[in-house]
Amino acid sequence: MKILIPAYQPDKKLIKLIKDLKKQTDMSIIVVDDGSGEKYQNIFNQAKKLECEVISYPDNHGKGFAIKTGIKYLKEIGESDGFVSADADGQHTTKDIINISNTLLEQKCDIVLGTRDFNLPEVPLRNRIGNKFTITLFNAMTGLPLKDTQTGLRAYSSKLFDMLLGIDGDSYEYEFNILIKISENDLKYIQVPIETIYDDNKSSHFRPILDSVLIYKPLARFLFSSLSSALLDFILLFIFKYLTNNLLYAVVLSRIISSLFNFIINRNIVFKNKAKQNSH
């Protein structure tokens, strides 16, 4: 099991996190420098001195790209257990990171999601409303009872490496798209409560407007798929009833065609995946 930390222009919080982790676990730490630039190389050099593996590339691409870069490296070195992905900005405690990784190993599941409690009084109103709205919308469309759809603390089994590399998204929407894949592939997931930390987080690079648009795009595609399939089913029902004068035939035929239409839309628009689907 490895710890993967995607980092873009990090501050001293990253070094503190690494030091704390080194004191409490012997898991290897991999830091992905997402094109932070020369100004931040001192931080990454400190990480190297703390015996972290640092992967760097010149241009900034986004958190999703950084995670996928880390996964490619894990495949190359033959990681067999999986990894836990944590943010570099101090939003996750060492206790939670270790607990999430241990849960993956002990429960032998596909994904472990660290979930925050947005009802706590210290959660800013804007974050509470935004997260609850997204959670409600996501759950209604996918049927998954998730408690936190934007958590950055997650553990993944090595069985999912190929699938994870094929999921669309280079920025924050990548992790959201992974959640949609849970419903498509019927993956075994576990939700584990984690500490909810909100502070004046200047090292966070989430872009409220652009990244929110990217996150909501897959939900918009999902809504289009569901509504268009339902409309097609409704129209076909009347057409086949008129042609056959048999309600049972009409229901069966319309349901088969609309289900096939829904499958095609989901596969090619909603759940686009460049990699072959895994069976497990």
Side-chain angles (χ1 to χ4, degrees), residues 9-44:
Q9 297 183 349
D11 57 19
K12 291 290 185 179
K13 292 177 183 177
L14 173 59
I15 303 303
K16 182 182 184 304
L17 174 62
I18 293 173
K19 289 180 177 179
D20 290 343
L21 285 169
K22 287 290 184 179
K23 293 177 182 177
Q24 300 182 44
T25 180
D26 58 359
M27 284 189 291
S28 299
I29 301 174
I30 300 167
V31 178
V32 180
D33 170 16
D34 184 31
S36 300
E38 188 63 31
K39 179 181 177 182
Y40 295 86
Q41 290 313 299
N42 179 53
I43 295 290
F44 294 107

Side-chain angles (χ1 to χ4, degrees), residues 2-167:
K2 302 290 191 296
I3 300 174
L4 179 63
I5 305 177
Y8 175 60
Q9 297 183 349
D11 57 19
K12 291 290 185 179
K13 292 177 183 177
L14 173 59
I15 303 303
K16 182 182 184 304
L17 174 62
I18 293 173
K19 289 180 177 179
D20 290 343
L21 285 169
K22 287 290 184 179
K23 293 177 182 177
Q24 300 182 44
T25 180
D26 58 359
M27 284 189 291
S28 299
I29 301 174
I30 300 167
V31 178
V32 180
D33 170 16
D34 184 31
S36 300
E38 188 63 31
K39 179 181 177 182
Y40 295 86
Q41 290 313 299
N42 179 53
I43 295 290
F44 294 107
N45 288 335
Q46 291 182 58
K48 291 178 182 178
K49 292 179 179 179
L50 292 170
E51 300 181 344
C52 293
E53 184 73 30
V54 176
I55 303 172
S56 299
Y57 41 85
D59 300 319
N60 172 244
H61 293 281
K63 185 181 182 183
F65 187 92
I67 292 175
K68 284 186 275 190
T69 298
I71 296 173
K72 291 177 183 177
Y73 175 77
L74 292 174
K75 284 193 64 177
E76 290 175 0
I77 65 175
E79 172 57 39
S80 59
D81 290 324
F83 70 97
V84 55
S85 176
D87 293 342
D89 56 7
Q91 293 296 294
H92 306 132
T93 67
T94 54
K95 178 183 177 181
D96 286 333
I97 293 172
I98 295 171
N99 185 37
I100 291 293
S101 63
N102 288 340
T103 301
L104 182 75
L105 294 175
E106 294 168 0
Q107 300 297 324
K108 300 187 183 304
C109 53
D110 297 311
I111 299 176
V112 179
L113 303 171
T115 60
R116 298 163 292 179
D117 184 356
F118 298 109
N119 292 313
L120 297 176
E122 60 265 30
V123 178
L125 181 62
R126 178 182 59 129
N127 298 85
R128 183 183 300 122
I129 294 175
N131 279 285
K132 284 190 173 183
F133 172 78
T134 305
I135 292 168
T136 301
L137 187 61
F138 179 89
N139 293 353
M141 291 184 178
T142 65
L144 294 177
L146 298 187
K147 300 176 181 178
D148 187 352
T149 56
Q150 297 183 51
T151 175
L153 182 55
R154 310 174 180 195
Y156 303 95
S157 166
S158 60
K159 296 184 299 182
L160 302 185
F161 282 178
D162 288 336
M163 187 201 78
L164 293 171
L165 289 173
I167 294 177

Side-chain angles (χ1 to χ4, degrees), residues 198-261:
Y198 279 97
D199 57 14
D200 185 15
N201 196 2
K202 297 179 180 179
S203 58
S204 174
H205 296 280
F206 184 84
R207 300 162 298 182
I209 297 178
L210 179 57
D211 288 318
S212 293
V213 169
L214 292 173
I215 286 173
Y216 283 113
K217 274 181 65 177
L219 279 183
R221 292 197 297 262
F222 199 101
L223 179 61
F224 166 76
S225 170
S226 300
L227 292 179
S228 59
S229 298
L231 179 61
L232 179 63
D233 183 64
F234 181 76
I235 294 173
L236 290 176
L237 176 63
F238 278 91
I239 293 176
F240 289 131
K241 176 62 171 62
Y242 175 78
L243 294 176
T244 66
N245 198 33
N246 187 306
L247 181 60
L248 178 60
Y249 287 166
V251 170
V252 172
L253 289 173
S254 62
R255 189 56 48 85
I256 290 175
I257 294 175
S258 63
S259 296
L260 180 61
F261 172 80

